[in-house]
Amino acid sequence: QSALTQPPSASGSPGQSVTISCTATSSDVGNYNYVSWYQQYPGKTPKLIIYEVNKRPSGVPDRFSGSKSGNTASLTVSGLQGEDEADYYCSSDRGNTVVFGGGTRLTVL
Amino acid sequence: QVHLVESGGGVVQPGRSLRLSCAASGFTFSAYGMHWVRQAPGKGLEWVAVIWSDGSNKYYADSVKGRFTISRDNSKDTVYLQMNSLRAEDTAVYYCTRDASGRKFDYWGQGTLVTVSP
């Protein structure tokens, strides 16, 4: 059982915004400031899209944004595009280890 | 540019061992912690192990503790994962990834598939 809970699925129409949540269910999930988000297409390698809650690596569109409130981190994808259809995973430090959320399949309708 | 190339995967019987390697290039390998992350077929990502940049500390997921050992050779820019007493549930694609501080995995290898089957 993951210490980070994500909804299994999310969806939205092109141009809309979608938010995916990531809730820490364990009190020992580090300081939860090292929350990252990864995008993964089927059969492909995960790609870092958000780190330290709300920072974007260079090259990641600003349509992707991250935030955190209490024990819940969120990834928001604005202006949905067909290419955003993928699996999204959150992760966080957990002391000396790392934990991933179960993943969310984002469908663009 | 940064490259991580895993090797060593394959089909192995339950209870046997396998050693994965991850060769790094394009960056100062000895300055970065390295992790192994796995993904079972059709499932999500699961963190496996970490080794600090100088090899001084290693930590493992509970699911592999006592069976897997992570190590590195900074003279060869390579990180390893020794997997013993393999189980069917260890079947997965194993990725090595670089920790660019703050537990952010900025580069990933292409993965190597390990299948544990009789």
Side-chain angles (χ1 to χ4, degrees):
Chain A
Q1 182 178 359
S2 175
L4 296 178
T5 299
Q6 297 181 236
S9 63
S11 63
S13 300
Q16 288 186 332
S17 293
V18 170
T19 296
I20 298 170
S21 62
C22 171
T23 301
T25 57
S26 171
S27 60
D28 64 348
V29 179
N31 60 13
Y32 209 37
N33 283 331
Y34 290 150
V35 177
S36 298
W37 289 90
Y38 300 87
Q39 177 191 60
Q40 186 182 35
Y41 295 112
K44 301 299 185 181
T45 295
K47 174 188 175 183
L48 178 69
I49 57 172
I50 295 288
Y51 66 97
E52 292 175 16
V53 177
N54 56 14
K55 298 177 182 176
R56 271 187 318 274
S58 61
V60 174
D62 60 6
R63 302 184 295 103
F64 293 90
S65 62
S67 63
K68 189 186 76 169
S69 177
N71 276 0
T72 298
S74 299
L75 171 71
T76 298
V77 186
S78 305
L80 267 177
Q81 299 182 4
E83 66 199 49
D84 299 330
E85 186 161 294
D87 294 325
Y88 292 85
Y89 296 91
C90 62
S91 74
S92 176
D93 64 303
R94 190 180 187 181
N96 291 309
T97 64
V98 176
V99 62
F100 283 95
T104 298
R105 172 68 55 89
L106 176 59
T107 300
V108 180
L109 303 172
Chain B
Q1 63 270 36
V2 173
H3 280 300
L4 298 171
V5 180
E6 301 94 337
S7 60
V11 180
V12 62
Q13 294 178 326
R16 304 298 290 266
S17 300
L18 207 58
R19 188 176 86 153
L20 306 182
S21 300
C22 170
S25 61
F27 65 102
T28 304
F29 180 72
S30 59
Y32 290 85
M34 297 295 296
H35 298 248
W36 286 95
V37 174
R38 69 183 181 182
Q39 187 169 35
K43 302 297 184 181
L45 301 173
E46 180 187 13
W47 178 80
V48 174
V50 59
I51 185 167
W52 289 19
S53 58
D54 61 358
S56 60
N57 287 286
K58 310 169 186 180
Y59 300 96
Y60 301 90
D62 287 344
S63 58
V64 307
K65 199 174 297 182
R67 300 187 299 122
F68 290 12
T69 301
I70 189 171
S71 62
R72 65 190 295 158
D73 185 338
N74 284 348
S75 69
K76 295 182 178 178
D77 292 351
T78 301
V79 61
Y80 304 97
L81 186 67
Q82 177 67 43
M83 305 185 296
N84 298 332
S85 302
L86 282 162
R87 306 167 180 169
E89 54 265 36
D90 296 318
T91 294
V93 173
Y94 285 74
Y95 298 100
C96 70
T97 179
R98 185 179 85 163
D99 187 337
S101 81
R103 296 290 189 255
K104 67 176 184 279
F105 303 149
D106 60 347
Y107 286 95
W108 298 63
Q110 84 288 349
T112 187
L113 176 62
V114 173
T115 303
V116 184
S117 178

